[in-house]
């Protein structure tokens, strides 16, 4: 049967035409005036549409549109919001415009990610990676950062969670109706839908491109569900993280290689590429191929340009979480491709191997080898990543491994309640940038404590209402009788201390840790003077049976008569549920196994709304924690066993709640206000929100990565300069086995006092290298069994030649008392190398 399709557009009256643009730019998702306006059009449709105003406008009855077009109050409101939007889009004095150097004005960053959490009406996200990617785009828009995002357009949206009668998670995958979502088909100059092509094991697959306006930035989504593709190819972009290993590599080829080709086809020429997690790392090979073809560079030369202008962020603190592909699967899809970049297939595989005998092609290793700028997503995660990947930098002290720490943040205006936003805007924000950048945070203390508390209680009541509504729908679906539904209307008491836990139900996050001692838990929830209640939400990956078992245990406990109404599991966790929870609970619980939480951002979202964290010192919390802003579960100690760890940390949770958290919450003055609690809430907002936001994070990426990568890209527009750098690198590679260094006649005085300096010399053999090709460094610090634990390098000066050796001299400063260990090392040196430790050429003194 041949079916033809066509698209029908909403027929808006002239006075409502502004709604069309406001509904198709995701700017509305972080602007409460716009959100409340769309809610006022039809609140029921707003919720049914999953907060998608474009769908609302296409569904609204003509009579309602006609009535709105004749309502002066609504038209006035629409005009105000449209002016606010137009002013935002036209603004020239953004942070980027005011703060960057002239040489950076033509920067364009291409940001690649497998998922984006921008709004519920665009369900192309799964968890924290997507939330971060969406917030990265939003803050780039707010700051005026010239950045575009690239991702995939999934036919089936974010998985919907249903609990069956046994409390087991069942997944549903609703199909996305893209013609009623805030996306636009990208067209070529002839007006036809744009197409780019990738070769997938001999099959030519066409890729369409859709555009999502995100404020001043754009997100481009790639789509293989096209009539001209085979049925198998059409399913590539069917589902986020769906399918088998072969479909995963096909998705990642479409994202990386197809994404680069799509940008080129649209005439966009990024100067910086940001690989957000390893899924899109194939784009680095495509950049190399493109430069070899367009500029006539060799592989080695093109690699220098790509390496110097690419950044990579790793989000995974466990080896198993990194993407590996079987060598034969890689061969199937890349054996022909590698010929276009003048590599043999074994040479190509070496780029993805951590070690020569590695059993898989690792996308993280590819990104680390082909990007000069690397980072983890918290300072602790930086250290964990350096330990995980130190085999890529053998013999380099851990603290010198070139993986930076750029701690994640959250987009403040996307996660703040509109009540808190109004309060902060009125009391703290005096500038054009609004919340958070124009807020005078110390003035938070001037906000009346009663008003601050009432703002929090307003959100708490809304959370309770949401939970009761969702539980009612869940029980109705399961055929509950009237008595059960009446009982649901009593769950949670807004006056009680409420602790929230909502996140992906991965087992390392230990959602069931609070249940370890049910008697102690029962004491907390039934305490007549200081009762505690818990609200849980979250989804497990469809293939994670253990995670689903955790959900079952929590949901089952919520039905236990002893805990009834005091422990609640909310079905079908999504962005909206997350927003209500971080805005409405009193305490945010986080108890992963340390150090398996790379960053975590839900606690940052809670802090915006004055919700304190009760958390293990993992991810971002070691940077954020102090006793006046929240509570720490345990410390940084190691345990003898998992059993001991879980016992100690569960006891810590019970003890903290009983002896610290609950007493502070229930300590009320004559007016019924918990003054001590409110003081802590204010400190939490004051100290955490100004730093743990994506505006700060994006600025940090610009200052540490983007600006340097952009300048390198422009510098390497000169082919001769690139060729010279690649030739230097080849000389290092050829001669490095012949490089040798020895410490020459090092005999300090019997007594050396701090502040003293004494001469040190070294003999260095360089093969065919010249002294200007290397940096000979005197290294001083404290060494252990595995080398230096801390130290610093001091460059030595070439003095003379002695036979085949070069003589280098330097001075050793004794900057502190106590033991000093020294060695001499040789590393490569070139004025155009972004980082001489990548790739690593290092030789330590042998004697």
């Amino acid at each position: 049967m041949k079916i033809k399709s066509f698209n029908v557009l909403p027929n808006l009256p002239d006075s409502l035409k502004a709604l069309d643009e406001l509904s198709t730019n995701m700017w509305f998702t972080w602007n409460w005036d716009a959100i409340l306006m769309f809610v006022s059009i039809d609140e029921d449709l707003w919720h049914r549409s999953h907060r998608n105003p474009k769908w609302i406008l296409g569904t609204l009855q003509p009579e309602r549109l006609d009535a709105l077009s004749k309502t002066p109050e609504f038209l006035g409101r629409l005009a105000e919001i449209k002016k606010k939007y137009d002013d935002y889009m036209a603004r020239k004095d953004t942070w980027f415009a005011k703060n960057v150097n002239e040489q950076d004005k033509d920067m364009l960053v291409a940001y690649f990610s497998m998922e984006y959490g921008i709004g519920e009406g665009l369900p192309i996200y799964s968890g924290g990676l997507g939330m971060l990617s969406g917030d990265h785009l939003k803050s780039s828009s707010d700051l005026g950062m010239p950045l575009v995002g690239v991702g995939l357009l999934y036919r089936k949206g974010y998985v919907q969670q249903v609990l069956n009668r046994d409390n087991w998670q069942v997944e549903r995958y609703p199909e996305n109706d893209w013609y009623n979502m805030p996306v636009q088909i990208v067209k070529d100059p002839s007006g036809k839908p744009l197409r780019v092509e990738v070769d997938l094991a001999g099959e030519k697959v066409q890729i369409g491109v859709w555009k999502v306006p995100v404020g001043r930035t754009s997100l481009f989504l790639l789509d293989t569900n096209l009539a001209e593709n085979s049925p198998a190819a059409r399913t590539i972009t069917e589902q986020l993280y769906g399918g088998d290993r072969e479909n995963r590599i096909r998705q990642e080829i479409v994202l990386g290689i197809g994404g680069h080709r799509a940008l080129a086809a649209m005439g966009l020429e990024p100067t910086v590429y940001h690989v957000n997690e390893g899924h899109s790392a194939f784009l680095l090979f495509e950049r190399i191929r493109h430069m070899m073809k367009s500029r006539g560079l060799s592989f080695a030369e093109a690699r220098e340009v790509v390496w110097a202008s690419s950044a990579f962020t790793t989000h995974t603190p466990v080896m198993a979480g990194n993407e590996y592909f079987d060598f034969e699967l890689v061969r199937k899809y890349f054996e022909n491709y590698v010929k276009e970049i003048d590599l043999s297939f074994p040479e190509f595989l070496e780029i993805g191997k951590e070690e020569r005998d590695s059993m898989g092609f690792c996308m993280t290793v590819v990104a680390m080898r082909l990007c000069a700028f690397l980072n983890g997503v918290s300072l602790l995660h930086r250290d964990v990543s350096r330990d995980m990947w130190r085999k890529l930098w053998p013999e380099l002290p851990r603290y010198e491994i070139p993986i930076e720490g750029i701690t994640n943040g959250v987009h403040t205006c996307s996660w703040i309640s509109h009540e808190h936003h109004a309060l902060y805007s009125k009391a703290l924000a005096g500038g054009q940038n609004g919340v958070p950048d124009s807020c005078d945070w110390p003035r938070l203390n001037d906000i009346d404590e009663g008003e601050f508390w009432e703002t929090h209680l307003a959100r708490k009541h809304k959370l309770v209402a949401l939970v009761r509504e969702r539980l009612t729908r869940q029980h109705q679906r399961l055929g509950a009788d009237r008595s059960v539904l009446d009982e649901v209307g009593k769950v949670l008491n807004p006056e009680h201390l409420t602790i929230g836990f909502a996140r992906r139900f991965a087992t390392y996050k230990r959602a069931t840790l609070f249940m370890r001692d049910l008697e102690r838990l029962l004491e907390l929830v039934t305490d007549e003077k200081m009762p505690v209640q818990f609200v849980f939400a979250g989804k497990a990956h469809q293939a994670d049976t253990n995670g689903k078992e955790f959900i079952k245990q929590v949901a089952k406990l919520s039905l236990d008569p002893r805990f009834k109404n005091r422990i609640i599991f909310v079905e079908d966790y999504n962005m909206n549920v997350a927003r209500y929870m971080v805005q409405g609970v009193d305490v945010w619980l986080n108890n992963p196994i340390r150090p398996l939480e790379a960053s975590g951002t839900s606690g940052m979202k809670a802090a915006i709304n004055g919700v304190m964290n009760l958390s293990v010192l993992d991810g971002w919390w070691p940077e954020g924690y102090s006793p006046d802003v929240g509570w720490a579960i345990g410390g940084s100690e190691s345990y003898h066993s998992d059993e001991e760890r879980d016992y100690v940390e569960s006891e810590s949770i019970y003890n903290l709640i009983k002896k610290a958290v609950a007493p502070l919450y229930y300590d009320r003055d004559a007016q019924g206000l918990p003054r001590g609690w409110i003081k802590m809430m204010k400190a939490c907002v004051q100290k955490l929100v100004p730093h743990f936001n994506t505006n700060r994070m994006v600025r940090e990426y610009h200052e540490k990565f983007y600006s340097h990568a952009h300048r390198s890209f422009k510098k390497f527009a000169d082919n001769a300069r690139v060729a010279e750098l690649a030739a230097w690198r080849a000389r290092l590679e050829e001669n490095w086995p012949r490089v040798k260094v020895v410490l020459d006649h090092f005999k300090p005085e019997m007594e050396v006092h701090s502040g003293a300096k004494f001469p040190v010399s070294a003999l260095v053999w360089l093969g065919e290298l010249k002294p200007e090709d290397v940096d000979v460094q005197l290294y001083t610090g404290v060494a252990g069994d595995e080398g230096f634990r801390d130290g610093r390098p001091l460059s030595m000066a070439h003095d003379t030649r002695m036979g085949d050796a070069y003589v280098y001299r330097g001075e050793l400063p004794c900057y502190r008392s106590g033991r000093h260990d020294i060695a001499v090392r040789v590393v490569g040196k070139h004025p155009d190398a972004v980082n001489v430790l990548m790739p690593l050429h290092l030789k330590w003194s042998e004697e």
Side-chain angles (χ1 to χ4, degrees):
M1 180 171 60
K2 183 70 174 177
I3 299 176
K4 294 189 176 182
S5 302
F6 61 96
N7 189 30
V8 178
L9 300 175
N11 185 18
L12 297 175
D14 289 342
S15 60
L16 299 181
K17 292 292 186 186
L19 287 172
D20 184 47
E21 187 173 7
L22 292 173
S23 68
T24 53
N25 190 312
M26 300 300 285
W27 172 86
F28 79 84
T29 63
W30 70 92
N31 284 271
W32 275 109
D33 290 344
I35 290 172
L36 294 174
M37 177 190 70
F38 285 123
V39 173
S40 73
I41 292 175
D42 190 310
E43 186 170 358
D44 179 59
L45 287 181
W46 174 254
H47 294 299
R48 283 170 50 199
S49 72
H50 301 287
R51 302 164 71 93
N52 176 5
K54 187 174 180 180
W55 185 87
I56 293 173
L57 296 180
T59 308
L60 212 58
Q61 292 298 314
E63 295 81 9
R64 178 59 176 156
L65 286 172
D66 184 61
L68 289 171
S69 71
K70 298 173 182 177
T71 304
E73 182 183 355
F74 182 82
L75 294 176
R77 192 177 187 184
L78 174 60
E80 288 178 10
I81 294 167
K82 182 61 163 61
K83 182 179 186 306
K84 181 180 178 182
Y85 168 78
D86 289 340
D87 290 346
Y88 176 89
M89 297 296 289
R91 189 173 162 204
K92 302 298 183 186
D93 61 334
T94 62
W95 176 87
F96 182 83
K98 292 189 295 185
N99 289 279
V100 299
N101 294 326
E102 191 63 34
Q103 62 183 321
D104 297 335
K105 297 289 186 183
D106 57 346
M107 176 192 295
L108 177 62
V109 179
Y111 180 89
F112 280 64
S113 184
M114 198 77 163
E115 55 175 297
Y116 291 87
I118 300 173
E120 297 92 299
L122 191 67
I124 54 171
Y125 61 92
S126 173
L129 180 69
M131 297 299 104
L132 178 79
S133 301
D135 284 4
H136 196 117
L137 295 191
K138 292 174 183 179
S139 278
S140 295
S141 172
D142 289 344
L143 297 172
M145 182 74 67
L147 179 146
V148 295
V150 180
L152 298 180
L153 186 93
Y154 300 104
R155 182 165 66 88
K156 293 183 178 179
Y158 179 44
V159 59
Q160 290 183 354
Q161 177 195 60
V162 174
L163 299 188
N164 65 20
R165 293 182 184 279
D166 294 323
N167 295 303
W168 189 257
Q169 172 181 299
V170 179
E171 297 86 22
R172 292 178 179 173
Y173 299 94
E175 291 211 11
N176 291 319
D177 176 8
W178 291 113
Y179 292 95
N180 271 319
M181 289 183 172
V183 296
Q184 308 159 10
I185 294 176
V186 176
K187 299 183 178 180
D188 64 19
S190 69
K192 297 179 180 179
L194 182 70
R195 294 288 185 267
V196 295
E197 183 179 276
V198 293
D199 185 304
L200 294 179
E203 180 183 4
K204 305 298 184 184
V205 174
Q206 300 297 310
I207 301 171
V209 186
W210 301 68
K211 176 182 176 181
V212 181
V214 186
R216 302 184 186 98
T217 65
S218 295
L219 169 61
F220 296 104
L221 300 174
L222 311 173
D223 179 19
T224 65
N225 184 26
L226 308 173
E228 54 263 50
N229 284 332
S230 68
R234 295 185 70 165
T235 64
I236 293 171
T237 55
E238 180 173 297
Q239 184 181 324
L240 173 61
Y241 304 134
D244 56 13
R245 296 304 299 160
E246 183 154 10
N247 194 65
R248 177 65 69 87
I249 199 171
R250 287 157 69 88
Q251 284 189 337
E252 297 187 7
I253 292 170
V254 169
L255 175 60
I257 296 176
H260 183 275
R261 293 177 183 178
L263 293 176
M266 290 185 287
L268 296 174
E269 299 180 356
T271 58
V272 179
Y273 282 78
H274 188 160
V275 178
N276 189 42
E277 197 53 280
H279 307 116
S280 60
F282 289 133
L283 84 88
L284 301 166
F285 292 113
E286 180 63 11
R287 290 193 70 199
I288 290 172
R289 189 197 69 83
H290 177 74
M291 286 187 188
M292 291 174 68
K293 184 177 180 181
S294 63
R295 292 175 53 178
L297 301 177
S298 68
F299 174 85
E301 291 164 349
R303 178 176 178 164
E304 292 290 349
V305 183
V306 170
W307 175 75
S309 57
S310 299
F312 169 61
T313 300
T314 175
H315 294 261
T316 313
V318 287
M319 196 61 74
N322 291 274
E323 191 84 272
Y324 287 84
F325 290 113
D326 178 79
F327 292 145
E328 288 307 308
L329 188 60
V330 176
R331 181 188 298 278
K332 178 177 179 179
Y333 286 93
F334 283 93
E335 191 167 29
N336 289 326
Y337 182 91
V338 299
K339 298 173 184 176
E340 298 186 56
I341 54 177
D342 291 341
L343 290 183
S344 68
F345 185 68
E347 288 173 328
F348 180 82
L349 286 184
E350 286 301 314
I351 297 173
K353 290 182 180 179
E354 185 182 5
E355 300 177 282
R356 290 200 178 276
D357 59 351
S358 294
M359 300 305 292
F361 186 84
C362 180
M363 298 297 280
T364 302
V365 172
V366 169
M368 288 188 169
R369 287 217 167 105
L370 296 181
C371 296
F373 303 94
L374 312 174
N375 76 285
V377 290
S378 69
L379 298 184
L380 177 59
H381 183 233
R382 172 200 64 190
D383 296 340
V384 170
S385 298
R386 287 172 174 175
D387 279 337
M388 284 176 62
W389 302 108
R390 64 186 312 171
K391 290 178 183 177
L392 299 180
W393 292 272
E395 297 191 65
L396 191 66
R398 186 189 80 161
Y399 51 87
E400 282 192 291
I401 290 174
I403 300 176
E404 293 287 331
I406 298 180
T407 303
N408 283 346
V410 296
H411 186 252
T412 306
C413 286
S414 292
W415 297 101
I416 192 172
S417 75
H418 67 85
E419 292 90 347
H420 284 92
H421 187 275
L423 181 64
Y424 297 166
S425 298
K426 177 183 69 174
L428 310 177
Q432 287 182 307
N433 294 328
V435 179
D437 283 353
S438 288
C439 284
D440 183 4
W441 294 106
R443 287 172 50 199
L444 196 76
N445 289 328
D446 298 335
I447 296 177
D448 178 75
E449 292 187 345
E451 184 179 12
F452 197 80
W453 183 242
E454 286 302 318
T455 301
H456 173 65
L457 289 183
R459 291 310 312 177
K460 198 170 178 182
H461 279 85
K462 289 186 176 182
L463 170 64
V464 170
L466 175 86
V467 170
R468 291 173 178 174
E469 175 195 342
R470 292 178 76 91
L471 283 176
T472 297
R473 290 207 307 266
Q474 178 182 345
H475 285 291
Q476 285 175 335
R477 190 190 74 245
L478 295 173
D481 59 30
R482 185 72 254 171
S483 62
V484 173
L485 297 179
D486 289 342
E487 191 68 24
V488 167
K490 302 173 185 175
V491 302
L492 300 182
N493 185 328
E495 302 300 319
H496 291 175
L497 172 62
T498 304
I499 297 176
F501 180 105
R503 51 186 49 83
R504 184 167 56 91
F505 263 60
T507 51
Y508 80 86
K509 294 177 184 284
R510 296 189 296 179
T512 58
L513 186 64
F514 84 116
M515 299 166 51
R516 199 174 187 281
D517 187 333
L518 291 182
E519 291 306 315
R520 293 210 63 184
L521 180 61
L522 189 62
E523 289 177 15
L524 292 175
V525 301
T526 59
D527 189 306
E528 292 186 3
K529 294 183 178 179
M530 298 187 299
V532 181
Q533 55 194 9
F534 294 83
V535 183
F536 278 71
K539 296 174 179 175
H541 186 276
Q542 53 265 38
D544 184 3
T545 302
N546 292 328
K548 292 181 180 181
E549 184 62 40
F550 276 22
I551 290 174
K552 180 179 179 179
Q553 291 178 36
V554 176
K556 185 177 179 181
L557 186 69
S558 71
L559 301 177
D560 187 320
R562 296 174 298 168
F563 298 95
K564 214 166 189 180
N565 301 341
R566 298 289 174 86
I567 295 176
I568 302 298
F569 184 87
V570 182
E571 185 184 64
D572 197 24
Y573 179 57
N574 60 22
M575 283 183 77
N576 193 43
V577 173
R579 196 175 286 111
Y580 270 83
M581 287 188 65
V582 297
Q583 294 168 2
V585 298
D586 299 303
V587 175
W588 196 252
L589 177 63
N590 184 43
N591 43 240
I593 298 171
R594 190 179 190 273
L596 302 186
E597 187 85 276
S599 171
T601 55
S602 61
M604 303 176 192
K605 297 163 187 170
I608 296 168
N609 300 284
V611 174
M612 274 88 77
N613 280 262
L614 170 60
S615 176
V616 166
L617 286 169
D618 197 11
W620 74 283
W621 193 230
E623 299 168 54
Y625 169 70
S626 62
D628 58 333
V629 302
W631 299 273
I633 300 168
S636 57
E637 61 270 14
S638 298
Y639 298 99
H640 293 100
S641 66
D642 293 350
E643 178 73 16
E644 180 191 28
R645 178 199 62 219
D646 289 353
Y647 170 76
V648 170
E649 293 183 354
S650 63
E651 287 295 306
S652 178
I653 292 172
Y654 300 137
N655 290 332
L656 282 168
I657 294 173
K658 184 174 183 63
K659 298 177 181 179
V661 181
L664 185 65
Y665 177 84
Y666 286 105
D667 181 18
R668 307 299 172 100
D669 66 6
Q671 286 76 44
L673 293 176
R675 300 282 180 181
W677 188 271
I678 296 170
K679 180 181 178 182
M680 201 167 177
M681 291 173 72
K682 287 185 174 182
C684 169
V685 175
Q686 279 182 319
K687 295 187 177 182
L688 301 181
V689 178
H691 182 74
F692 294 102
N693 63 78
T694 42
N695 284 16
R696 182 274 311 160
M697 183 193 78
V698 171
R699 286 193 294 262
E700 198 171 340
Y701 274 114
H702 175 266
E703 290 156 7
K704 290 184 175 180
F705 287 3
Y706 296 165
S707 61
H708 301 289
H710 169 74
R711 293 166 198 170
S712 293
F713 182 81
K714 292 180 69 176
K715 177 172 62 179
F716 290 140
D718 180 354
N719 280 12
R721 196 166 185 173
V722 177
E724 199 283 320
L725 178 61
W728 165 79
R729 191 90 68 188
R731 290 197 303 274
L732 284 187
E733 193 70 35
E734 181 182 352
N735 284 278
W736 209 252
R738 301 161 64 187
V739 172
K740 178 181 176 182
V741 56
V742 297
L743 194 58
D744 185 38
H745 304 302
F746 177 66
K747 292 182 180 179
E749 301 290 335
M750 291 298 293
E751 288 189 0
V752 179
H753 297 279
S754 60
K757 296 181 180 180
F758 53 87
V760 178
S761 62
L763 297 177
V764 183
W765 289 263
L766 294 175
E768 300 298 320
L769 295 173
K770 304 297 183 186
E772 56 266 28
D773 290 328
V774 299
D775 188 15
V776 179
Q777 300 172 341
L778 175 62
Y779 206 90
T780 177
V782 177
D785 294 338
E786 297 183 2
F788 281 94
R789 294 196 302 268
D790 67 72
R792 57 177 181 167
L794 302 167
S795 292
M796 302 177 73
H798 171 230
D799 181 43
T800 187
R801 189 156 185 174
M802 183 182 296
D804 292 337
Y806 293 91
V807 179
Y808 280 77
R809 302 191 188 278
E811 276 193 329
L812 176 63
C814 299
Y815 55 91
R816 57 172 175 78
S817 61
R819 172 182 159 184
H820 282 57
D821 296 312
I822 73 164
V824 178
R825 71 183 189 182
V826 184
V827 297
K829 182 177 73 173
H830 193 285
D832 284 343
V834 176
N835 189 328
V836 295
L837 302 177
M838 300 169 64
L840 182 63
H841 290 92
L842 172 69
K843 281 289 179 73
W844 289 95
S845 50
E846 298 179 7
E847 300 176 19

